[in-house]
Amino acid sequence: METNSDFVGSNRSVVVTLLLWFFFGTFGIYRMYLGKVGTGILMLILTLLAFLTFVFFIGIFIFLGLFIWWIIDLVRILKSPKMANMP
């Protein structure tokens, strides 16, 4: 199980992570960058599924879940020790 302290690994840039989070957030690219490939692919699949089912209103609920996941990850990125050590 991962903790807040190891969400942004020691060899990863917080700035790059935040940029990937902002521009490609729901596609899970930032999670793949952090080495969490499985959950990154899961986010990508859920995003594609949400686009495909948006017409049937199922996609709205999937997007809502992804949005909550996306915001929680932002908090975890901002609470990482690397963020506190930035100049």
Side-chain angles (χ1 to χ4, degrees):
M1 178 164 178
E2 64 188 29
T3 61
N4 283 341
S5 62
D6 66 355
F7 191 68
V8 179
S10 61
N11 59 346
R12 301 294 182 209
S13 168
V14 175
V15 174
V16 172
T17 303
L18 285 172
L19 288 172
L20 290 172
W21 173 88
F22 184 76
F23 290 109
F24 305 107
T26 60
F27 295 104
I29 304 300
Y30 68 97
R31 291 190 75 84
M32 292 180 209
Y33 172 73
L34 293 174
K36 296 161 186 11
V37 178
T39 55
I41 291 173
L42 178 63
M43 281 186 92
L44 178 63
I45 290 170
L46 286 174
T47 300
L48 296 175
L49 184 65
F51 277 120
L52 292 174
T53 60
F54 196 78
V55 175
F56 306 110
F57 299 107
I58 298 169
I60 295 171
F61 297 108
I62 297 172
F63 274 130
L64 180 63
L66 284 168
F67 178 74
I68 293 168
W69 190 0
W70 188 62
I71 295 299
I72 290 170
D73 278 351
L74 173 64
V75 172
R76 293 177 73 192
I77 292 167
L78 293 177
K79 285 190 162 198
S80 70
K82 287 190 77 174
M83 189 69 174
N85 295 334
M86 288 185 69

